[in-house]
């Protein structure tokens, strides 16, 4: 009866046109409505069905039947919910029906499950005569695709986390023996050696450092891809940093007969706020490549800084060489990970092809990028660009300060340190580094043993490995900082770790560590960090420690 009324209305409105064209508009409209891929229904003012196409009838037969029996809109929706989800309680079914009809009457799209297992997105709009028109679209395939994508994303995230965990573990396992190799080599370098032995030892050190650089590149790329790479800007002297790099790379250039020139614009030779570690890493990659791919001529490093808005500077550091250069095809793939110019270049010059890719990603994280201009046989010019804020000069010694300025050596004699590491080789290296300075070393193999030592005697400093069995360093550090005895809570702690996947020193500082030293341990870096931590904590040489009181008598 509802459909008949609709047909009559259509006939009246379209009669003249239908006669004129000799078309049966009633039949055409009804056929068109029934051929729609989704549901189509016209309701009267009380949601009585005036017109319903075949798709709507097949999708929602229980709701339609209830409406034709005179049920209210919400009662009909309830009937449909109970038919499709029989497991719902009456209370759940009524709540669902009310939510559905309320949303539809507000003009909000609603996704409904049908008894056929499909998902229909339905929207309902008011009509001028007081009724409603509702249309539905089958979104089953779309939702299934979304579920597949969500599942694939979760699997990819899980795989990425597994890869990160694997790299962290591999990093730790590789760095532990590498710590022994480089540590012992550094100790041997301080002894009397013949020229031949010195040359052999230098080869060991160079090879170990090369392996360390490759490992760091792989881990840096993994951190960047995992979104776990942090940029930590601080106030720093850019000119001082570049001059230090010049001293570092000049001997390497001289070995190949190359001139290394540094030009610093006055605007750049100032204190700016940037991440000196990452800028140093990027520039070192560019200079290293320039030296590697240049057989004769010179390397020029130029630094510029142009004022930008809000006390910011656009900094450009250009590294130009007179080396082999590159063609357009090579430039197109230059910044892709694990890519060299070509196979012959890889065989001749070596390298993982990660340096430029990492430098480019780091520059982007610092608000800039890396660009290149090059011609075969005429050399290349790489430009590192990044954004830096105006910095403020500090009276504190820069991060590259010499050991004698930190107090590390001056304070070493008489210090008592607790060295906590599960690997005997790591403890041996650290002991050989520190005992010649007059430091007394007490060893512990895990966090639990370290806590017991701290409860029996006093220490000036704790060197704490982060990855250990029984109780790891992070748990031990938390116990130390939460201990009821103040002397234990306040003991300075330097984190030692071979895991370079986390945010490193920032992460350990947040945990309560006073300092951080990565593995393989660099002799000079360790002494500098010890001096910095002790000077920061005490402001002077710590007083000799007295015997620690019995904790049971102290009420601990």
């Amino acid at each position: 009866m509802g459909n008949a009324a609709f047909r009559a209305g259509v006939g009246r409105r379209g009669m003249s046109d239908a006669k004129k064209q000799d078309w049966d508009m009633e039949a055409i409209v009804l056929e068109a409505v029934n051929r729609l891929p989704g549901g189509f229904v016209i309701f009267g003012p009380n949601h009585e069905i005036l017109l319903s196409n075949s798709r709507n009838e097949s999708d929602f037969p229980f709701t339609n039947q209830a409406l034709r029996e005179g049920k209210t809109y919400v009662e009909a929706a309830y009937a449909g919910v109970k038919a499709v989800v029989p497991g719902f309680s009456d209370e759940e079914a009524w709540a669902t029906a009310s939510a559905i009809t309320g949303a539809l009457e507000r003009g909000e799209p609603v996704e409904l499950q049908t008894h056929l297992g499909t998902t229909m997105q339905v929207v309902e709009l008011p009509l001028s005569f007081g009724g409603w028109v509702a249309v539905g679209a089958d979104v089953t395939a779309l939702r299934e695709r979304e579920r597949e994508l969500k599942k694939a994303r979760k699997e990819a995230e899980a795989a990425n986390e597994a890869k990160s965990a694997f790299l962290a573990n591999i990093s730790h396992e590789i760095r532990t023996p590498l710590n022994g190799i480089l540590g012992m080599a550094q100790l041997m370098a301080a002894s009397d050696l013949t020229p031949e032995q010195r040359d052999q030892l230098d080869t060991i050190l160079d090879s170990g450092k090369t392996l360390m650089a490759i490992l760091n590149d792989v881990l840096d790329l993994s951190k960047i891809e995992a979104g776990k790479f942090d940029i930590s800007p601080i106030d720093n002297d850019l000119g001082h940093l570049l001059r230090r790099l010049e001293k570092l790379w000049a001997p390497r250039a001289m070995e190949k007969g190359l001139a290394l020139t540094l030009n610093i614009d006055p605007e750049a030779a100032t204190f700016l706020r940037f991440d000196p570690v990452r800028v140093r890493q990027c520039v070192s990659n560019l200079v290293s490549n320039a030296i590697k791919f240049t057989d004769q001529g010179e390397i020029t490093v130029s630094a510029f800084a142009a004022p930008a808005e809000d006390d910011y500077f656009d900094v450009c550091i250009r590294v130009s060489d007179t080396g082999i250069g590159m063609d357009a095809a090579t430039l197109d793939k230059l910044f892709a990970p694990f890519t060299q110019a070509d196979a012959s270049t890889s065989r001749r010059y070596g390298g993982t092809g990660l340096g430029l890719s990492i430098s480019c990603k780091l520059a982007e994280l610092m608000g800039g990028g890396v660009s290149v201009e090059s011609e075969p046989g005429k050399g290349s010019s790489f430009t590192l660009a990044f954004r830096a804020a105006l910095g403020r000069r500090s009276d504190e010694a820069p991060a590259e300060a010499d050991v004698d300025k930190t107090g590390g050596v001056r304070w070493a004699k008489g210090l008592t340190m607790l060295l906590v590491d599960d690997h005997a080789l790591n403890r041996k290296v650290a002991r050989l580094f520190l005992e010649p300075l007059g430091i007394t070393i007490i060893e512990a193999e895990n966090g639990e043993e370290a806590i017991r030592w701290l409860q029996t005697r006093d220490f000036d400093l704790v060197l704490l490995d982060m990855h250990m069995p029984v109780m790891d360093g992070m748990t031990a550090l938390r116990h130390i900082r939460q201990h009821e005895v103040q002397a234990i809570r306040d003991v300075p702690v330097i984190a030692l770790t071979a895991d370079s996947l986390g945010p490193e020193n920032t992460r350990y500082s947040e945990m309560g560590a006073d300092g951080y030293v990565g593995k393989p341990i660099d002799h000079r870096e360790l002494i500098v960090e010890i001096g910095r931590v002790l000077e920061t904590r005490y402001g002077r040489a710590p007083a000799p420690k007295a015997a620690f009181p019995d904790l049971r008598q102290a009420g601990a």
Side-chain angles (χ1 to χ4, degrees):
M1 185 167 65
N3 285 1
F6 175 78
R7 287 195 295 269
V10 170
R12 285 193 298 274
R13 288 190 295 275
M15 186 64 69
S16 60
D17 289 340
K19 288 180 178 178
K20 204 176 294 181
Q21 299 295 334
D22 198 23
W23 289 340
D24 186 351
M25 289 303 298
E26 178 184 351
I28 290 173
V29 170
L30 289 174
E31 181 183 4
V33 167
N34 279 315
R35 286 181 177 270
L36 291 174
F40 181 88
V41 58
I42 296 178
F43 296 112
N46 296 316
H47 276 93
E48 62 273 24
I49 298 176
L50 302 181
L51 174 68
S52 174
N53 72 349
S54 57
R55 180 61 190 265
N56 177 64
E57 293 298 326
S58 65
D59 285 336
F60 304 108
F62 309 104
T63 301
N64 293 339
Q65 180 181 348
L67 287 172
R68 291 190 174 100
E69 291 174 353
K71 302 290 187 182
T72 65
Y73 197 25
V74 69
E75 289 172 340
Y78 167 82
V81 170
K82 287 292 286 185
V84 175
V85 192
F88 268 12
S89 65
D90 287 346
E91 183 179 352
E92 290 173 324
W94 279 115
T96 303
S98 298
I100 290 171
T101 56
L104 288 173
E105 289 175 343
R106 292 191 299 271
E108 299 171 4
V110 176
E111 291 192 4
L112 302 175
Q113 298 298 316
T114 73
H115 68 107
L116 302 172
T118 57
T119 302
M120 299 297 295
Q121 186 178 76
V122 180
V123 64
E124 188 173 295
L125 300 172
L127 297 175
S128 59
F129 75 96
W132 311 78
V133 60
V135 293
D138 191 339
V139 295
T140 307
L142 177 62
R143 297 296 173 256
E144 180 61 29
R145 179 59 177 162
E146 288 177 350
R147 284 191 291 271
E148 291 175 356
L149 290 174
K150 187 177 293 185
K151 180 182 178 182
R153 180 178 179 180
K154 287 183 178 179
E155 291 175 351
E157 289 174 348
N160 194 52
E161 290 177 2
K163 181 190 73 172
S164 296
F166 171 76
L167 286 171
N169 291 332
I170 285 296
S171 166
H172 189 274
E173 294 304 317
I174 293 177
R175 286 168 187 262
T176 296
L178 193 56
N179 185 47
I181 294 170
L182 292 178
M184 293 302 178
Q186 290 177 71
L187 290 169
M188 289 179 64
S191 59
D192 293 330
L193 300 172
T194 66
E196 183 180 3
Q197 291 172 330
R198 176 73 59 185
D199 182 64
Q200 294 169 347
L201 184 61
D202 287 343
T203 301
I204 293 174
L205 285 169
D206 287 343
S207 299
K209 290 176 181 178
T210 299
L211 178 59
M212 193 71 242
I214 294 172
L215 179 62
N216 285 338
D217 280 348
V218 173
L219 292 172
D220 279 349
L221 186 65
S222 299
K223 285 190 290 183
I224 292 171
E225 291 179 344
K228 297 180 179 179
F229 206 100
D230 295 326
I231 297 298
S232 303
I234 61 172
D235 293 342
N236 202 278
D237 188 335
L238 180 61
H240 178 74
L241 181 149
L242 294 175
R243 286 188 289 273
R244 294 280 303 202
L245 284 177
E246 180 190 20
K247 292 180 180 178
L248 174 66
W249 288 104
R252 184 82 61 89
M254 291 178 62
E255 288 177 1
K256 294 188 67 175
L258 305 173
L260 178 60
T261 304
L262 174 63
N263 300 316
I264 304 177
D265 184 77
E267 288 281 2
T270 184
F271 264 72
L272 298 173
R273 189 168 185 80
F274 61 95
D275 189 330
V277 174
R278 300 310 166 194
V279 170
R280 185 186 301 111
Q281 182 178 356
C282 292
V283 176
S284 291
N285 277 331
L286 299 181
V287 175
S288 175
N289 280 346
I291 295 174
K292 180 192 297 185
F293 296 110
T294 303
D295 293 324
Q296 58 182 359
E298 61 180 353
I299 314 294
T300 303
V301 180
S302 306
F304 313 89
E309 71 276 1
D310 299 329
D311 289 332
Y312 276 86
F313 286 80
D314 290 323
V315 181
C316 292
I317 300 174
R318 182 172 298 120
V319 179
S320 303
D321 63 62
T322 56
I324 61 176
M326 293 168 284
D327 56 23
T330 302
L331 292 175
D332 287 340
K333 61 182 181 179
L334 189 61
F335 296 104
F338 303 102
T339 299
Q340 286 274 17
D342 54 42
S344 62
T345 300
S346 180
R347 286 194 298 269
R348 178 182 176 188
Y349 294 102
T352 61
L354 286 175
L356 286 177
S357 175
I358 291 172
S359 296
C360 186
K361 293 180 184 295
L362 289 177
E364 290 172 356
L365 290 174
M366 293 187 292
V370 177
S371 59
V372 58
E373 297 175 2
S374 184
E375 289 185 43
K378 295 185 178 180
S380 304
S381 180
F382 287 84
T383 301
L384 166 69
F386 61 93
R387 178 64 64 90
L390 181 64
R392 183 173 59 186
R393 184 176 296 275
S394 172
D395 293 332
E396 296 179 4
E400 299 87 355
D402 293 331
V403 174
D404 59 358
K405 293 181 181 179
T406 68
V409 173
R410 290 186 290 104
W411 291 4
K413 190 173 183 180
L415 291 180
T416 301
M417 294 188 187
L418 178 61
L419 173 60
V420 191
D421 197 303
D422 59 308
H423 284 274
L425 178 60
N426 290 338
R427 298 197 303 273
K428 182 177 182 179
V429 170
R431 177 186 286 276
L432 292 173
F433 279 168
L434 299 174
E435 281 187 334
L437 303 177
I439 299 174
T440 299
I441 302 293
I442 303 295
E443 296 183 15
E445 294 185 4
N446 56 65
E448 282 188 1
E449 188 177 341
I451 297 297
R452 289 198 296 269
W453 270 112
L454 288 167
Q455 292 176 151
T456 57
R457 64 176 298 173
D458 216 348
F459 291 90
D460 297 297
L461 183 70
V462 177
L463 302 180
L464 182 64
D465 184 33
M466 290 291 105
H467 296 273
M468 297 179 292
V470 184
M471 179 187 288
D472 62 24
M474 291 172 281
T475 305
L477 182 56
R478 185 170 64 251
H479 280 290
I480 291 171
R481 293 299 178 236
Q482 296 176 354
H483 204 279
E484 60 270 21
V485 177
Q486 184 174 353
I488 297 177
R489 284 199 307 271
D490 293 344
V491 65
V493 177
I494 293 178
L496 303 175
T497 180
D499 177 9
S500 68
L501 278 179
E504 298 171 346
N505 53 328
T506 302
R507 174 188 181 190
Y508 300 120
S509 176
E510 292 171 353
M511 292 179 181
D514 299 271
Y516 161 88
V517 174
K519 295 179 182 177
I521 298 173
D522 180 83
H523 188 186
R524 179 182 176 280
E525 180 185 352
L526 177 61
I527 300 304
V528 168
E529 187 69 352
I530 289 173
R532 186 195 66 78
V533 167
L534 293 177
E535 186 169 6
T536 300
R537 176 59 68 94
Y538 299 109
R540 55 180 177 79
K545 300 297 183 184
F548 201 83
D550 187 300
L551 294 182
R552 288 171 297 180
Q553 296 179 6

